[in-house]
Amino acid sequence: DHPDSRAMLTVRLKVPGEKQLNRMASSATKGESGIDVNGYPDYRGIPVVGAWTWLPEHGFGVATETDVTEACKSLSALRNLFGIFYALIVAIFAISMVLRRREMRADADREHARKIMRIFIEHNPAPVAMFDRDMRYLAYSRRWLIDYNLGSKDITGLSHYEVFPEIPESWKEIHRRCLAGAVEKCNEDKFVRPDGTTEWLSWEITPWRDNQGQIGGIILFTEVITERKKNKEMLQNANEYLDLRV
């Protein structure tokens, strides 16, 4: 504020050898704001890039300048970093596509194997049914529908316990053990139906596994042996009667 005062920092804003202000100073003193990335000579005559803004409420401007060579180094590094990042994105995308295609092929293979299994079960002459881990029907033979008086009902996707609500808890426990990996069978087992009639069954349960070796459910092989059981009992009773007569 005093005529004889001096600034602590003096910066020349003219291009060496010329009278006019450099690009930044000329624009800023006109009350303009701007940015120049093409390069212009600073007070040293060295090409720089810069950005500036004029603050009219304070009567001065604020500017920043960087040598073009330094700016290009940063830009080159940024470009290299972007290139690496882009290559990484492309690689991740390519890997994900390969894995997805493998997964799709694996899914197709699994579905093909299941179709073959369904065809085998559906045309099996014995009462056979295939279940998932929740004991829902995946496939069943025609003989299954006939022997258990289910008519032509489509039970695919239904729970085994919904189709046969009379199944005892002891059988459910056997199913749980087989879903855990056990193989169980019984040559003669009693099955009481809702109407009070009794049927005799021979059965075997084995788990089935998917392509990863995980248990996907169980397959139940059965045979209704009620008539055989009755004939056996009749023969036994006849033999006992003859023994008493003798």
Side-chain angles (χ1 to χ4, degrees):
D1 293 337
H2 299 282
D4 58 347
S5 64
R6 292 186 177 182
M8 295 179 64
L9 177 63
T10 300
V11 178
R12 292 175 296 175
L13 299 178
K14 294 182 180 180
V15 179
E18 298 183 12
K19 294 182 179 181
Q20 73 271 19
L21 298 174
N22 68 10
R23 170 87 171 85
M24 175 272 294
S26 176
S27 175
T29 54
K30 294 177 183 178
E32 300 174 348
S33 298
I35 182 171
D36 190 320
V37 295
N38 295 318
Y40 59 88
D42 68 353
Y43 67 92
R44 300 168 298 173
I46 297 174
V48 296
V49 295
W52 58 90
T53 185
W54 183 257
L55 305 175
E57 65 274 18
H58 299 291
F60 63 84
V62 178
T64 180
E65 293 178 334
T66 303
D67 291 358
V68 169
T69 54
E70 292 298 323
C72 288
K73 287 181 181 179
S74 300
L75 180 60
S76 177
L78 182 61
R79 285 175 177 170
N80 290 337
L81 182 61
F82 177 78
I84 293 172
F85 179 74
Y86 179 77
L88 181 61
I89 293 297
V90 171
I92 292 174
F93 178 76
I95 292 172
S96 65
M97 288 297 295
V98 171
L99 294 177
R100 177 57 182 163
R101 287 176 181 174
R102 288 182 179 178
E103 183 180 350
M104 290 174 66
R105 285 197 297 267
D107 290 342
D109 290 343
R110 284 193 290 269
E111 184 59 29
H112 181 65
R114 288 177 183 173
K115 285 182 178 178
I116 293 176
M117 179 65 76
R118 289 191 188 102
I119 292 173
F120 169 76
I121 290 176
E122 288 171 2
H123 294 84
N124 197 298
V128 184
M130 181 181 184
F131 305 89
D132 64 13
R133 292 193 59 85
D134 295 320
M135 291 302 294
R136 292 190 298 261
Y137 282 88
L138 296 178
Y140 48 88
S141 66
R142 295 187 180 93
R143 190 71 186 182
W144 182 276
L145 298 177
I146 295 171
D147 283 9
Y148 295 111
N149 302 316
L150 297 174
S152 58
K153 182 179 180 181
D154 182 10
I155 56 176
T156 305
L158 296 181
S159 168
H160 185 46
Y161 309 131
E162 178 183 349
V163 177
F164 297 103
E166 67 271 25
I167 287 179
E169 185 60 35
S170 59
W171 283 14
K172 293 180 182 180
E173 178 58 31
I174 293 172
H175 298 159
R176 287 190 285 268
R177 290 200 299 267
C178 292
L179 285 169
V183 175
E184 300 200 19
K185 63 180 179 179
C186 181
N187 293 326
E188 212 174 73
D189 206 352
K190 184 168 64 174
F191 184 30
V192 180
R193 303 306 302 272
D195 60 2
T197 59
T198 299
E199 290 183 348
W200 290 88
L201 309 178
S202 173
W203 54 261
E204 181 173 349
I205 303 175
T206 183
W208 62 269
R209 298 177 183 272
D210 58 23
N211 289 358
Q212 283 72 43
Q214 302 298 316
I215 295 176
I218 61 174
I219 298 177
L220 178 54
F221 302 87
T222 69
E223 182 183 3
V224 178
I225 59 171
T226 305
E227 291 301 318
R228 188 191 311 169
K229 176 71 173 176
K230 290 180 179 178
N231 293 335
K232 181 180 177 180
E233 290 178 349
M234 290 175 60
L235 181 60
Q236 184 177 353
N237 292 335
N239 289 333
E240 290 177 355
Y241 176 76
L242 291 176
D243 288 341
L244 290 176
R245 295 275 296 183
V246 173

